[in-house]
Amino acid sequence: MTATGNRRSAPRHVELTWSQVARLGLVGLASDVRDRRRDGPVGGPRVAVPLRRRLDPRVRAPIFVIGAPRSGTTFLGRCVGRLPEVSYHFEPRLTKAAARCVYDGSWSAQRAARVFRGFYGALLIAGGDGGLRFAEKNPENCFIVPFLFRTFPAAQFVHIVRDGRDATVSHAQKPWLKAESAASGQRGRGGAAWGPQPRFWVEPDRHEEFRSVSDLERSAWCWRRFTEAAFVGLSTLPADRLLRVRYESMVRDPRATAVSLGEFLGQPAGAGQDALRTALDEASPSSVGRWRPALDEHEAELVARQCGSLLNELGYDD
């Protein structure tokens, strides 16, 4: 798998200031609390935790669900969140923004570790979940796996891989990378403006090309970069800290995925695996192969131009 960049070759960006960190942190905490009040916490009843531990900000054995955008990370993350001892958080805003500072080296490892530990702990406390296992999903974590493992040595990583053509079709329907979104003034959860401008993960010598290609090609480009980065970063982990899930297998045989995921996360047969099985049963097999009717021959060639070799390497060559 091709490496995707390091501190020396990554594009440099304006460093997040402490005032921006504070603002993103406050907004992120508020949005997390608001979302939980609106939607309710993922899953059923939480494990009973003594009151004194609910105010404990320590992050123990976190679970990171990673994968390229539109690869099933949201669905899988919510499934993990069904476990009663897990406190699940969807794309924390501050760490989503801070990932680029870790990747390009504009933050020291010590500073980054303080921010990640502190914000994750604050999310636990804000949700009344101190003492539970923290879990989150942020696609940007694909680029900082070694840092996350150094910062949280007991962490477990669940990597979901999806056919890049299906992920591309799904991503291209969203406004995030579309040329027409440049004038919208909208920004993502991590603060990145919508539109075709290069993100931190675009190769430094290909910025103009990224701006000029079609929306579909930018989406394929995104899948390739995130997927490559995840494989490179995860290759540095001990084998027992990683579970890789194929999206296609998950939706076609959710019960088998529930068993493997439950065992990986230390859930014996019983309530934990039953909770995962119930959640994973909601997967939709119709989402597999959606690229076939969606892409004409020319569009399929554009996608292959961006990620064809990686598709072949991962076995998506039909």
Side-chain angles (χ1 to χ4, degrees):
M1 199 69 59
T2 304
T4 59
N6 52 43
R7 289 181 58 170
R8 291 184 298 275
S9 62
R12 303 291 293 187
H13 294 266
V14 177
E15 181 180 346
L16 284 176
T17 66
W18 279 118
S19 62
Q20 291 172 316
V21 167
R23 180 178 58 80
L24 277 170
L26 290 173
V27 170
L29 286 172
S31 69
D32 191 78
V33 171
R34 182 177 62 249
D35 291 347
R36 283 167 164 251
R37 285 176 178 169
R38 182 190 65 208
D39 303 330
V42 175
R46 305 287 92 182
V47 166
V49 177
L51 180 59
R52 67 181 182 279
R53 289 195 63 193
R54 294 180 200 170
L55 301 178
D56 185 348
R58 286 177 291 182
V59 181
R60 302 177 178 87
I63 302 165
F64 295 104
V65 177
I66 69 172
R70 310 306 296 173
S71 290
T73 53
T74 297
F75 176 76
L76 188 56
R78 289 185 65 85
C79 290
V80 170
R82 296 284 186 94
L83 295 172
E85 69 271 29
V86 166
S87 175
Y88 172 69
H89 302 265
F90 171 79
E91 297 195 8
R93 292 174 184 266
L94 174 54
T95 52
K96 188 177 184 72
R100 66 172 170 83
C101 298
V102 177
Y103 177 71
D104 69 16
S106 57
W107 280 9
S108 69
Q110 294 77 12
R111 179 181 186 180
R114 288 199 303 272
V115 169
F116 276 71
R117 289 194 194 103
F119 190 56
Y120 289 160
L123 287 171
L124 286 172
I125 299 303
D129 287 345
L132 299 182
R133 288 190 74 180
F134 180 87
E136 65 116 290
K137 80 95 182 177
N138 247 335
E140 285 75 9
N141 286 340
C142 289
F143 293 89
I144 59 170
V145 169
F147 159 78
L148 292 172
F149 184 58
R150 288 193 303 269
T151 305
F152 304 101
Q156 291 181 290
F157 295 78
V158 182
H159 179 208
I160 184 165
V161 180
R162 186 184 188 187
D163 187 328
R165 296 162 296 190
D166 284 336
T168 294
V169 167
S170 180
H171 198 181
Q173 293 173 343
K174 299 296 182 180
W176 309 320
L177 296 179
K178 286 187 175 182
E180 66 183 21
S181 297
S184 70
Q186 294 293 313
R187 290 182 176 271
R189 292 179 66 88
W194 290 0
Q197 64 278 359
R199 306 319 200 252
F200 74 89
W201 42 264
V202 176
E203 299 91 329
D205 58 345
R206 300 182 67 185
H207 283 194
E208 290 306 316
E209 180 186 354
F210 186 81
R211 290 189 183 94
S212 66
V213 298
S214 68
D215 295 341
L216 186 69
E217 287 178 276
R218 274 191 294 276
S219 294
W221 195 319
C222 178
W223 174 84
R224 173 178 56 80
R225 289 291 282 173
F226 278 75
T227 302
E228 285 180 341
F231 271 95
V232 170
L234 292 167
S235 69
T236 67
L237 299 182
D240 63 350
R241 298 305 178 87
L242 167 65
L243 177 70
R244 185 160 284 122
V245 175
R246 287 278 184 157
Y247 180 94
E248 295 77 19
S249 298
M250 178 183 72
V251 301
R252 288 170 175 155
D253 193 353
R255 301 203 166 206
T257 301
V259 172
S260 60
L261 182 59
E263 291 176 348
F264 176 69
L265 296 177
Q267 299 291 318
Q273 288 193 18
D274 289 344
L276 289 172
R277 188 175 299 114
T278 299
L280 287 161
D281 275 342
E282 298 173 10
S284 173
S286 63
S287 59
V288 175
R290 60 180 298 190
W291 68 272
R292 296 181 184 279
L295 300 179
D296 60 30
E297 183 176 353
H298 174 65
E299 290 170 328
E301 290 176 354
L302 292 178
V303 173
R305 181 187 304 169
Q306 291 298 333
C307 56
S309 61
L310 183 56
L311 286 169
N312 292 338
E313 189 174 347
L314 296 178
Y316 296 114
D317 51 5
D318 57 335

Short mmCIF file of all heavy atoms in Angstrom, two decimals, residues 61-121:
data_model
loop_
_atom_site.label_atom_id
_atom_site.label_comp_id
_atom_site.label_asym_id
_atom_site.label_seq_id
_atom_site.Cartn_x
_atom_site.Cartn_y
_atom_site.Cartn_z
N ALA A 61 -9.06 2.80 27.09
CA ALA A 61 -9.29 1.85 25.99
C ALA A 61 -10.32 2.36 24.98
O ALA A 61 -11.33 1.71 24.73
CB ALA A 61 -9.73 0.50 26.55
N PRO A 62 -10.09 3.53 24.39
CA PRO A 62 -11.07 4.06 23.42
C PRO A 62 -11.17 3.19 22.18
O PRO A 62 -10.26 2.41 21.87
CB PRO A 62 -10.50 5.45 23.08
CG PRO A 62 -9.04 5.32 23.32
CD PRO A 62 -8.90 4.40 24.50
N ILE A 63 -12.27 3.34 21.50
CA ILE A 63 -12.54 2.61 20.26
C ILE A 63 -12.61 3.63 19.13
O ILE A 63 -13.42 4.56 19.18
CB ILE A 63 -13.86 1.82 20.34
CG1 ILE A 63 -13.84 0.85 21.52
CG2 ILE A 63 -14.12 1.08 19.02
CD1 ILE A 63 -15.22 0.30 21.86
N PHE A 64 -11.77 3.45 18.12
CA PHE A 64 -11.77 4.34 16.96
C PHE A 64 -12.29 3.57 15.74
O PHE A 64 -11.68 2.60 15.31
CB PHE A 64 -10.36 4.87 16.68
CG PHE A 64 -9.81 5.74 17.77
CD1 PHE A 64 -8.86 5.25 18.66
CD2 PHE A 64 -10.25 7.04 17.93
CE1 PHE A 64 -8.35 6.05 19.67
CE2 PHE A 64 -9.75 7.85 18.94
CZ PHE A 64 -8.80 7.36 19.82
N VAL A 65 -13.42 4.03 15.22
CA VAL A 65 -13.97 3.48 13.97
C VAL A 65 -13.48 4.38 12.85
O VAL A 65 -13.77 5.58 12.83
CB VAL A 65 -15.50 3.45 14.00
CG1 VAL A 65 -16.05 2.94 12.66
CG2 VAL A 65 -15.99 2.56 15.15
N ILE A 66 -12.68 3.84 11.93
CA ILE A 66 -12.11 4.68 10.89
C ILE A 66 -12.39 4.09 9.51
O ILE A 66 -12.67 2.89 9.36
CB ILE A 66 -10.59 4.89 11.08
CG1 ILE A 66 -9.83 3.60 10.84
CG2 ILE A 66 -10.28 5.44 12.47
CD1 ILE A 66 -8.32 3.81 10.82
N GLY A 67 -12.31 4.95 8.53
CA GLY A 67 -12.53 4.56 7.14
C GLY A 67 -12.75 5.81 6.32
O GLY A 67 -12.93 6.92 6.86
N ALA A 68 -12.72 5.68 5.02
CA ALA A 68 -12.95 6.81 4.13
C ALA A 68 -14.37 7.33 4.27
O ALA A 68 -15.28 6.58 4.66
CB ALA A 68 -12.68 6.40 2.68
N PRO A 69 -14.61 8.61 3.99
CA PRO A 69 -15.97 9.12 4.01
C PRO A 69 -16.90 8.30 3.12
O PRO A 69 -16.51 7.83 2.05
CB PRO A 69 -15.82 10.56 3.47
CG PRO A 69 -14.41 10.94 3.84
CD PRO A 69 -13.62 9.66 3.67
N ARG A 70 -18.11 8.09 3.59
CA ARG A 70 -19.16 7.36 2.88
C ARG A 70 -18.81 5.88 2.72
O ARG A 70 -19.27 5.22 1.78
CB ARG A 70 -19.46 7.98 1.50
CG ARG A 70 -19.69 9.48 1.53
CD ARG A 70 -20.76 9.89 2.52
NE ARG A 70 -22.08 9.34 2.15
CZ ARG A 70 -23.16 9.44 2.93
NH1 ARG A 70 -23.08 10.00 4.13
NH2 ARG A 70 -24.31 8.94 2.54
N SER A 71 -18.04 5.36 3.67
CA SER A 71 -17.69 3.94 3.65
C SER A 71 -18.43 3.12 4.71
O SER A 71 -18.11 1.95 4.90
CB SER A 71 -16.18 3.77 3.85
OG SER A 71 -15.46 4.21 2.72
N GLY A 72 -19.37 3.74 5.41
CA GLY A 72 -20.11 3.02 6.43
C GLY A 72 -19.64 3.29 7.85
O GLY A 72 -20.07 2.61 8.77
N THR A 73 -18.77 4.30 8.02
CA THR A 73 -18.26 4.58 9.36
C THR A 73 -19.38 5.04 10.29
O THR A 73 -19.38 4.67 11.48
CB THR A 73 -17.16 5.65 9.32
OG1 THR A 73 -17.64 6.81 8.63
CG2 THR A 73 -15.91 5.12 8.61
N THR A 74 -20.31 5.83 9.80
CA THR A 74 -21.40 6.31 10.66
C THR A 74 -22.25 5.15 11.13
O THR A 74 -22.56 5.02 12.33
CB THR A 74 -22.26 7.35 9.92
OG1 THR A 74 -21.46 8.49 9.61
CG2 THR A 74 -23.45 7.77 10.77
N PHE A 75 -22.63 4.28 10.22
CA PHE A 75 -23.47 3.13 10.58
C PHE A 75 -22.73 2.23 11.57
O PHE A 75 -23.28 1.85 12.61
CB PHE A 75 -23.85 2.35 9.33
CG PHE A 75 -24.63 1.10 9.62
CD1 PHE A 75 -25.97 1.16 9.97
CD2 PHE A 75 -24.01 -0.15 9.56
CE1 PHE A 75 -26.69 0.01 10.26
CE2 PHE A 75 -24.72 -1.31 9.84
CZ PHE A 75 -26.07 -1.23 10.19
N LEU A 76 -21.48 1.91 11.27
CA LEU A 76 -20.74 1.00 12.13
C LEU A 76 -20.47 1.64 13.49
O LEU A 76 -20.53 0.97 14.53
CB LEU A 76 -19.43 0.58 11.46
CG LEU A 76 -18.62 -0.51 12.17
CD1 LEU A 76 -19.45 -1.76 12.39
CD2 LEU A 76 -17.37 -0.83 11.38
N GLY A 77 -20.18 2.93 13.50
CA GLY A 77 -19.97 3.62 14.76
C GLY A 77 -21.19 3.58 15.65
O GLY A 77 -21.11 3.34 16.86
N ARG A 78 -22.35 3.79 15.07
CA ARG A 78 -23.59 3.74 15.85
C ARG A 78 -23.87 2.33 16.35
O ARG A 78 -24.43 2.14 17.44
CB ARG A 78 -24.76 4.27 15.03
CG ARG A 78 -24.71 5.78 14.80
CD ARG A 78 -25.95 6.28 14.09
NE ARG A 78 -27.16 6.10 14.90
CZ ARG A 78 -27.57 6.96 15.83
NH1 ARG A 78 -26.86 8.05 16.09
NH2 ARG A 78 -28.68 6.73 16.51
N CYS A 79 -23.47 1.34 15.58
CA CYS A 79 -23.62 -0.04 16.04
C CYS A 79 -22.75 -0.30 17.27
O CYS A 79 -23.19 -0.91 18.25
CB CYS A 79 -23.27 -1.02 14.92
SG CYS A 79 -24.46 -1.05 13.55
N VAL A 80 -21.49 0.16 17.21
CA VAL A 80 -20.61 0.03 18.37
C VAL A 80 -21.21 0.77 19.56
O VAL A 80 -21.13 0.32 20.72
CB VAL A 80 -19.21 0.57 18.03
CG1 VAL A 80 -18.35 0.68 19.29
CG2 VAL A 80 -18.53 -0.32 17.00
N GLY A 81 -21.85 1.90 19.29
CA GLY A 81 -22.47 2.68 20.35
C GLY A 81 -23.64 1.99 21.02
O GLY A 81 -24.11 2.45 22.07
N ARG A 82 -24.13 0.90 20.46
CA ARG A 82 -25.22 0.15 21.10
C ARG A 82 -24.73 -0.63 22.32
O ARG A 82 -25.55 -1.09 23.12
CB ARG A 82 -25.84 -0.82 20.10
CG ARG A 82 -26.53 -0.19 18.90
CD ARG A 82 -27.88 0.38 19.25
NE ARG A 82 -28.58 0.86 18.08
CZ ARG A 82 -29.46 0.13 17.38
NH1 ARG A 82 -29.73 -1.10 17.74
NH2 ARG A 82 -30.05 0.66 16.32
N LEU A 83 -23.43 -0.82 22.43
CA LEU A 83 -22.91 -1.57 23.58
C LEU A 83 -23.11 -0.75 24.84
O LEU A 83 -22.79 0.44 24.89
CB LEU A 83 -21.43 -1.89 23.38
CG LEU A 83 -21.12 -2.82 22.20
CD1 LEU A 83 -19.61 -2.91 21.97
CD2 LEU A 83 -21.70 -4.20 22.46
N PRO A 84 -23.62 -1.35 25.90
CA PRO A 84 -23.99 -0.57 27.09
C PRO A 84 -22.84 0.08 27.83
O PRO A 84 -23.04 1.04 28.57
CB PRO A 84 -24.71 -1.61 27.98
CG PRO A 84 -24.27 -2.94 27.47
CD PRO A 84 -24.01 -2.77 26.00
N GLU A 85 -21.61 -0.41 27.63
CA GLU A 85 -20.47 0.19 28.33
C GLU A 85 -19.73 1.19 27.47
O GLU A 85 -18.64 1.66 27.84
CB GLU A 85 -19.51 -0.88 28.82
CG GLU A 85 -18.75 -1.61 27.75
CD GLU A 85 -19.47 -2.85 27.23
OE1 GLU A 85 -20.71 -2.87 27.28
OE2 GLU A 85 -18.79 -3.79 26.79
N VAL A 86 -20.31 1.56 26.32
CA VAL A 86 -19.65 2.46 25.38
C VAL A 86 -20.36 3.81 25.33
O VAL A 86 -21.59 3.88 25.30
CB VAL A 86 -19.61 1.83 23.97
CG1 VAL A 86 -19.24 2.87 22.91
CG2 VAL A 86 -18.63 0.67 23.93
N SER A 87 -19.58 4.87 25.34
CA SER A 87 -20.09 6.23 25.13
C SER A 87 -19.63 6.67 23.74
O SER A 87 -18.45 6.97 23.53
CB SER A 87 -19.53 7.18 26.20
OG SER A 87 -19.92 8.52 25.95
N TYR A 88 -20.55 6.68 22.80
CA TYR A 88 -20.20 6.94 21.39
C TYR A 88 -20.43 8.39 21.04
O TYR A 88 -21.44 9.00 21.40
CB TYR A 88 -21.04 6.05 20.47
CG TYR A 88 -20.89 6.39 19.01
CD1 TYR A 88 -19.69 6.13 18.35
CD2 TYR A 88 -21.92 6.98 18.29
CE1 TYR A 88 -19.53 6.46 17.01
CE2 TYR A 88 -21.77 7.31 16.95
CZ TYR A 88 -20.57 7.04 16.32
OH TYR A 88 -20.42 7.37 15.00
N HIS A 89 -19.50 8.97 20.25
CA HIS A 89 -19.57 10.37 19.85
C HIS A 89 -19.27 10.48 18.36
O HIS A 89 -18.25 10.00 17.88
CB HIS A 89 -18.58 11.20 20.67
CG HIS A 89 -18.83 11.10 22.13
ND1 HIS A 89 -19.59 12.01 22.84
CD2 HIS A 89 -18.47 10.15 23.03
CE1 HIS A 89 -19.67 11.65 24.10
NE2 HIS A 89 -18.99 10.52 24.25
N PHE A 90 -20.17 11.14 17.65
CA PHE A 90 -20.09 11.27 16.20
C PHE A 90 -19.17 12.43 15.81
O PHE A 90 -19.46 13.59 16.12
CB PHE A 90 -21.48 11.49 15.62
CG PHE A 90 -21.49 11.84 14.16
CD1 PHE A 90 -21.35 10.85 13.20
CD2 PHE A 90 -21.65 13.15 13.74
CE1 PHE A 90 -21.35 11.15 11.85
CE2 PHE A 90 -21.67 13.47 12.39
CZ PHE A 90 -21.52 12.48 11.45
N GLU A 91 -18.06 12.14 15.16
CA GLU A 91 -17.16 13.13 14.58
C GLU A 91 -16.95 14.36 15.48
O GLU A 91 -17.41 15.47 15.15
CB GLU A 91 -17.67 13.57 13.20
CG GLU A 91 -17.70 12.41 12.21
CD GLU A 91 -17.84 12.87 10.75
OE1 GLU A 91 -17.76 14.09 10.50
OE2 GLU A 91 -18.03 12.00 9.89
N PRO A 92 -16.27 14.19 16.61
CA PRO A 92 -16.00 15.35 17.47
C PRO A 92 -15.33 16.48 16.70
O PRO A 92 -14.34 16.29 16.01
CB PRO A 92 -15.06 14.76 18.53
CG PRO A 92 -15.44 13.32 18.59
CD PRO A 92 -15.75 12.94 17.18
N ARG A 93 -15.90 17.66 16.80
CA ARG A 93 -15.48 18.79 15.96
C ARG A 93 -14.02 19.20 16.18
O ARG A 93 -13.29 19.44 15.22
CB ARG A 93 -16.40 19.99 16.21
CG ARG A 93 -17.82 19.79 15.74
CD ARG A 93 -18.69 20.97 16.15
NE ARG A 93 -20.08 20.75 15.80
CZ ARG A 93 -20.66 21.16 14.68
NH1 ARG A 93 -19.93 21.83 13.80
NH2 ARG A 93 -21.93 20.93 14.43
N LEU A 94 -13.62 19.32 17.43
CA LEU A 94 -12.28 19.83 17.70
C LEU A 94 -11.21 18.88 17.17
O LEU A 94 -10.26 19.31 16.50
CB LEU A 94 -12.10 20.06 19.20
CG LEU A 94 -10.69 20.46 19.64
CD1 LEU A 94 -10.19 21.68 18.89
CD2 LEU A 94 -10.66 20.71 21.14
N THR A 95 -11.33 17.60 17.46
CA THR A 95 -10.30 16.66 17.02
C THR A 95 -10.36 16.44 15.51
O THR A 95 -9.34 16.11 14.88
CB THR A 95 -10.40 15.33 17.78
OG1 THR A 95 -11.74 14.82 17.71
CG2 THR A 95 -10.02 15.53 19.24
N LYS A 96 -11.52 16.64 14.92
CA LYS A 96 -11.62 16.57 13.45
C LYS A 96 -10.78 17.66 12.83
O LYS A 96 -10.06 17.43 11.84
CB LYS A 96 -13.09 16.72 13.03
CG LYS A 96 -13.36 16.47 11.55
CD LYS A 96 -14.84 16.59 11.26
CE LYS A 96 -15.16 16.26 9.81
NZ LYS A 96 -15.02 14.81 9.52
N ALA A 97 -10.83 18.86 13.40
CA ALA A 97 -10.02 19.96 12.90
C ALA A 97 -8.55 19.78 13.25
O ALA A 97 -7.66 20.10 12.45
CB ALA A 97 -10.53 21.28 13.48
N ALA A 98 -8.28 19.26 14.45
CA ALA A 98 -6.90 19.13 14.92
C ALA A 98 -6.12 18.04 14.20
O ALA A 98 -4.89 18.06 14.21
CB ALA A 98 -6.89 18.87 16.42
N ALA A 99 -6.81 17.11 13.55
CA ALA A 99 -6.12 16.02 12.88
C ALA A 99 -5.11 16.54 11.86
O ALA A 99 -4.02 15.98 11.71
CB ALA A 99 -7.12 15.08 12.21
N ARG A 100 -5.45 17.60 11.15
CA ARG A 100 -4.51 18.13 10.15
C ARG A 100 -3.26 18.69 10.81
O ARG A 100 -2.18 18.65 10.23
CB ARG A 100 -5.19 19.19 9.29
CG ARG A 100 -5.60 20.47 10.00
CD ARG A 100 -6.07 21.52 8.98
NE ARG A 100 -6.69 22.67 9.60
CZ ARG A 100 -6.02 23.70 10.10
NH1 ARG A 100 -4.71 23.70 10.07
NH2 ARG A 100 -6.67 24.72 10.63
N CYS A 101 -3.40 19.23 12.03
CA CYS A 101 -2.23 19.78 12.73
C CYS A 101 -1.30 18.67 13.19
O CYS A 101 -0.09 18.87 13.28
CB CYS A 101 -2.69 20.62 13.92
SG CYS A 101 -3.70 22.04 13.47
N VAL A 102 -1.87 17.51 13.49
CA VAL A 102 -1.05 16.35 13.82
C VAL A 102 -0.37 15.84 12.56
O VAL A 102 0.84 15.57 12.54
CB VAL A 102 -1.92 15.23 14.45
CG1 VAL A 102 -1.06 13.99 14.72
CG2 VAL A 102 -2.58 15.72 15.73
N TYR A 103 -1.13 15.74 11.48
CA TYR A 103 -0.63 15.18 10.23
C TYR A 103 0.51 16.01 9.63
O TYR A 103 1.52 15.47 9.19
CB TYR A 103 -1.78 15.07 9.25
CG TYR A 103 -1.41 14.56 7.87
CD1 TYR A 103 -1.05 13.22 7.69
CD2 TYR A 103 -1.43 15.40 6.76
CE1 TYR A 103 -0.72 12.75 6.42
CE2 TYR A 103 -1.10 14.93 5.51
CZ TYR A 103 -0.74 13.61 5.34
OH TYR A 103 -0.41 13.15 4.10
N ASP A 104 0.34 17.33 9.63
CA ASP A 104 1.36 18.16 8.98
C ASP A 104 2.45 18.61 9.94
O ASP A 104 3.39 19.30 9.53
CB ASP A 104 0.74 19.35 8.24
CG ASP A 104 0.14 20.41 9.17
OD1 ASP A 104 0.43 20.41 10.37
OD2 ASP A 104 -0.63 21.26 8.65
N GLY A 105 2.35 18.21 11.20
CA GLY A 105 3.41 18.51 12.15
C GLY A 105 3.40 19.92 12.70
O GLY A 105 4.35 20.33 13.37
N SER A 106 2.34 20.70 12.45
CA SER A 106 2.30 22.07 12.97
C SER A 106 2.05 22.10 14.47
O SER A 106 2.27 23.13 15.12
CB SER A 106 1.25 22.90 12.23
OG SER A 106 -0.03 22.32 12.32
N TRP A 107 1.56 20.99 15.05
CA TRP A 107 1.47 20.83 16.50
C TRP A 107 2.49 19.80 16.94
O TRP A 107 2.72 18.80 16.24
CB TRP A 107 0.09 20.35 16.91
CG TRP A 107 -0.95 21.41 16.98
CD1 TRP A 107 -0.86 22.70 16.56
CD2 TRP A 107 -2.27 21.24 17.48
NE1 TRP A 107 -2.04 23.35 16.77
CE2 TRP A 107 -2.93 22.49 17.35
CE3 TRP A 107 -2.97 20.17 18.03
CZ2 TRP A 107 -4.25 22.69 17.74
CZ3 TRP A 107 -4.28 20.36 18.43
CH2 TRP A 107 -4.91 21.61 18.29
N SER A 108 3.05 20.01 18.11
CA SER A 108 3.91 18.98 18.69
C SER A 108 3.04 17.82 19.15
O SER A 108 1.83 17.98 19.40
CB SER A 108 4.68 19.54 19.89
OG SER A 108 3.80 19.81 20.97
N ALA A 109 3.65 16.65 19.28
CA ALA A 109 2.91 15.48 19.75
C ALA A 109 2.35 15.73 21.15
O ALA A 109 1.24 15.28 21.47
CB ALA A 109 3.81 14.25 19.74
N GLN A 110 3.11 16.44 21.98
CA GLN A 110 2.66 16.70 23.34
C GLN A 110 1.43 17.60 23.36
O GLN A 110 0.46 17.33 24.08
CB GLN A 110 3.79 17.35 24.16
CG GLN A 110 4.99 16.46 24.41
CD GLN A 110 5.91 16.35 23.17
OE1 GLN A 110 5.76 17.11 22.20
NE2 GLN A 110 6.84 15.40 23.22
N ARG A 111 1.47 18.64 22.56
CA ARG A 111 0.32 19.55 22.51
C ARG A 111 -0.91 18.83 21.97
O ARG A 111 -2.00 18.94 22.52
CB ARG A 111 0.64 20.75 21.61
CG ARG A 111 -0.51 21.73 21.47
CD ARG A 111 -0.13 22.88 20.54
NE ARG A 111 -1.18 23.88 20.52
CZ ARG A 111 -1.12 25.00 19.79
NH1 ARG A 111 -0.05 25.25 19.05
NH2 ARG A 111 -2.10 25.87 19.81
N ALA A 112 -0.73 18.07 20.89
CA ALA A 112 -1.85 17.34 20.30
C ALA A 112 -2.44 16.35 21.30
O ALA A 112 -3.66 16.22 21.42
CB ALA A 112 -1.39 16.63 19.03
N ALA A 113 -1.58 15.63 22.00
CA ALA A 113 -2.06 14.64 22.97
C ALA A 113 -2.89 15.31 24.06
O ALA A 113 -3.92 14.78 24.48
CB ALA A 113 -0.89 13.88 23.58
N ARG A 114 -2.46 16.49 24.52
CA ARG A 114 -3.23 17.20 25.54
C ARG A 114 -4.61 17.56 25.03
O ARG A 114 -5.61 17.43 25.74
CB ARG A 114 -2.48 18.47 25.98
CG ARG A 114 -1.26 18.23 26.83
CD ARG A 114 -0.86 19.49 27.59
NE ARG A 114 -0.62 20.62 26.69
CZ ARG A 114 0.54 20.89 26.12
NH1 ARG A 114 1.60 20.10 26.35
NH2 ARG A 114 0.69 21.95 25.35
N VAL A 115 -4.66 18.03 23.78
CA VAL A 115 -5.95 18.43 23.22
C VAL A 115 -6.87 17.23 23.05
O VAL A 115 -8.06 17.27 23.42
CB VAL A 115 -5.74 19.15 21.87
CG1 VAL A 115 -7.07 19.34 21.14
CG2 VAL A 115 -5.07 20.50 22.09
N PHE A 116 -6.35 16.14 22.49
CA PHE A 116 -7.20 14.97 22.25
C PHE A 116 -7.67 14.36 23.57
O PHE A 116 -8.87 14.06 23.73
CB PHE A 116 -6.45 13.93 21.41
CG PHE A 116 -6.51 14.19 19.93
CD1 PHE A 116 -5.83 15.25 19.35
CD2 PHE A 116 -7.27 13.37 19.10
CE1 PHE A 116 -5.88 15.49 17.99
CE2 PHE A 116 -7.33 13.59 17.74
CZ PHE A 116 -6.64 14.66 17.17
N ARG A 117 -6.76 14.17 24.51
CA ARG A 117 -7.17 13.60 25.80
C ARG A 117 -8.19 14.50 26.50
O ARG A 117 -9.20 14.04 27.03
CB ARG A 117 -5.96 13.40 26.70
CG ARG A 117 -5.01 12.28 26.29
CD ARG A 117 -4.06 11.97 27.44
NE ARG A 117 -2.93 11.16 27.00
CZ ARG A 117 -1.70 11.63 26.79
NH1 ARG A 117 -1.44 12.92 27.02
NH2 ARG A 117 -0.73 10.84 26.39
N GLY A 118 -7.88 15.79 26.50
CA GLY A 118 -8.75 16.73 27.20
C GLY A 118 -10.13 16.81 26.60
O GLY A 118 -11.14 16.82 27.33
N PHE A 119 -10.21 16.84 25.26
CA PHE A 119 -11.52 16.99 24.63
C PHE A 119 -12.34 15.71 24.74
O PHE A 119 -13.54 15.76 25.01
CB PHE A 119 -11.37 17.40 23.17
CG PHE A 119 -12.67 17.81 22.53
CD1 PHE A 119 -13.43 18.82 23.08
CD2 PHE A 119 -13.11 17.18 21.38
CE1 PHE A 119 -14.64 19.20 22.48
CE2 PHE A 119 -14.31 17.55 20.79
CZ PHE A 119 -15.07 18.56 21.34
N TYR A 120 -11.71 14.57 24.54
CA TYR A 120 -12.44 13.32 24.71
C TYR A 120 -12.96 13.19 26.14
O TYR A 120 -14.10 12.77 26.38
CB TYR A 120 -11.55 12.12 24.38
CG TYR A 120 -11.22 11.95 22.91
CD1 TYR A 120 -10.12 11.19 22.52
CD2 TYR A 120 -11.99 12.54 21.92
CE1 TYR A 120 -9.80 11.02 21.18
CE2 TYR A 120 -11.67 12.37 20.58
CZ TYR A 120 -10.58 11.61 20.22
OH TYR A 120 -10.28 11.44 18.89
N GLY A 121 -12.12 13.54 27.11
CA GLY A 121 -12.56 13.49 28.50
C GLY A 121 -13.71 14.44 28.76
O GLY A 121 -14.66 14.10 29.48
#
